[in-house]
Amino acid sequence: MKTPQPLPQNLRPPLALLERLSNAVGVSGDEEEIRQIVQKQIRSFVDEITVDALGNVLAVKHAADPNVTRVMFAAHMDEVGFMLVQEEGEGSFAFEPVGGIDERQLLGKPVQVGKERLPGVIGSKPIHLCTAEELHHAVPQKNMHIDLSPGCASKAKVGDFATFATRFQRNGDALFGKALDDRLGVATLIELARVNPGNLEILFAFTVQEEIGLRGARVAAYNFQPDMAFVVDSTPAFDLPLVQEDEENTQYNTRLGAGPAIYLSDAGTISDPRLVHFMVKLAEEHHIPFQFRQPGGGGTDAGAIHLTRSGVPSVSISIPGRYAHTPILHASLEDWKNTLHLLNLVLLHASRSILTPDR
Amino acid sequence: MKELIQKITQIPAPSGFEKAVRDFILDEVKPFVKETRVDALGNLIVRCGEKTKQGRSILVGAHMDEIGIIASHVEKNGRVRFSNLGTIFPRYLPGSRVRFLDGTRGVIDSDKPEDLTKIQPISQFFIDVGAESDQTCPIHAGDVAVFDREFMDLGNRVVSKALDDRSSCALLINAIQQIKTTPHELYFVFSTQEEVGSKGATTAAFGLDVELGIALDVTPVGNLHGVKLQVDLGKGPAIKVRDVGHISDSRVVNWMVAGAKSLKLPYQLEVLDIGTTDARAMQISKAGMLSGALSIPCKYVHSPSEMIDLVDYEQTLRLLVHLLSNPINLEK
């Protein structure tokens, strides 16, 4: 295998920014904190920024010629989390998940609640007091509670959002944090805003409410009317050693460290083969490692974007991450660099001609 | 007619990869139409006729895609694991053969079942293309395939893969060739990605300014997966009243029924409790449109061996040509 070409000097994975974005709180429907960071970071690199009715940040870099190809890049600002739904006294609140969370992951996890980030915990019965029977059964989410302590009950109220209290950490290539799905994509788009292709109308959509049904992307694409769309997201890597050694892992989705994951087909979108081919060719020519995400379930903002108006040729590319939608996601810096590198090339080489011939 | 159905059903073209069948349709209809174009999702849109004072603008759709599979992993031993494109019933998989778009063929089998009385999920099936290892396997993740099953001529009844919905595509080709004069502006839409959620019809309908949308599709008969169905083979065109995703406009239903009566054709009213068609996407496009659907009754839908009756086909064709050739009264 040939050595990958180095990342162009003007581009670098913005690690400090990723740390801020990962630690910031922006559960679906409550993305204001992320929106503020995004707007501040891209202001000097784009020609136009608007916040639409749903809260998407729509940023445009104009081309000199208004008839040129319109290329949309989307990443979602929101993260999965919780909402307090009932006060139960003594600082305890019943809650419901916002977005898809495996309820077996929740018990005993520290959380932060509301704008003031009140510390809390999804309380559980200590092992000392559990019966043998209890230790062998998962606790249903409706029986769990967020405990803010009796003294803090008045500081929170029904309707407040909550999320995991995980702080970002890095160890060499290893990145750990909450909400890296999809703050990795958000940080990628912010960095891409520095690139000046000149001959394209570049449309950046930092979307809201992806985790609860691609709602932001739907209206963002309607507004932008792009000729093509690239969605940057995070996707699970389940390339773990198996329990049974003689069995081959055939359902890993992606592998950590194997490069950006290009989508072929998921539950929401069959990628436009012309855009897949375009990205694969660029990656091969520049010796950038990449992998195909295994076709199957799941989905990204592309599921809404490609059905907008008369249709938008779309493809997704994700940074692989282990343990998605849990308190901590583990991604690889090298994968992120390679994603950034490939998307930089997409920006520099995209043109309407890649949509010929017809799909 | 039979030859056209045989040719068009044998073309491998699963959801998202419809180019081959689109090229075939384009060749068949080009001499008869005013204008053709292909949109961003690959729909073929064919315009015929000019709108007169008594005429309307009408979308008539049939989907080009068929259900298929997409390779997801090649094992070290050369077996190909796969995921579905559209609704694949695992019970049809063991022993089925598939053909990839590059021509590679293979046979499907499953991991050893733990319980012979239960149908295994798709994840436990694999395709054997005759490769001894992943190194020699010509198939890679992302390659797509369809059921490989030859056309069978049983006289009035024919059997093939992909009669859903190539039989309707053939029917629209015949209709385009047979409609001599029409007061309407007709947009025939050969749509993509119906089997994964009427995606082509969604964007095609948005791109057209029409007043009325009609979908042509097959409809299952008898007893499908425990759902009792009224429609039967050999009893004429099925005029859709309702399915899971769509309630036909009653004025459209009445118009179709009146058409069948005036031609003295048998017809069936269809109430379908499983599945839906592109009419669903048309009805709710933009500010909405009047919509309805005509169905060709079909046995063993979504299996490698679907069956239709050519008398039903011919009667559905006559009804559609009649409906599209005359002014439309939708008063009641």
Side-chain angles (χ1 to χ4, degrees), chain A residues 84 89-93 111-114 117-122 145-157 160 162:
Chain A
L84 305 189
E90 301 288 304
S92 177
F93 286 84
V111 295
Q112 42 190 337
V113 177
R117 300 194 179 192
L118 302 171
V121 61
I122 301 175
H145 312 272
I146 290 179
D147 185 354
L148 293 170
S149 100
C152 295
S154 60
K155 289 185 181 167
K157 61 183 187 307
D160 280 355

Side-chain angles (χ1 to χ4, degrees), chain A residues 222 248-252 255 264-265 268-270 272-274 292 294-296 306-307 309-313 358-359, chain B residues 15-17 22 38-41 70-76 81 83 85 123 141-142 193 196 199 202-203 206-207:
Chain A
Y222 189 91
E248 184 169 339
N249 182 355
T250 63
Q251 291 184 316
Y252 40 85
R255 296 184 170 107
L264 300 160
S265 166
T269 316
I270 300 171
D272 192 302
R274 296 167 297 184
F292 291 119
Q294 282 192 291
H306 84 289
L307 295 179
R309 293 186 186 250
S310 291
V312 179
D358 292 326
R359 175 169 181 176
Chain B
S15 306
F17 302 86
R22 185 179 64 221
V38 175
D39 76 3
L41 261 66
I70 181 164
S72 59
H73 175 76
V74 180
E75 290 183 41
K76 288 192 183 70
R81 298 282 167 171
S83 173
L85 289 172
S123 58
Q193 302 193 39
V196 292
K199 304 206 163 163
T202 300
T203 64
F206 188 96

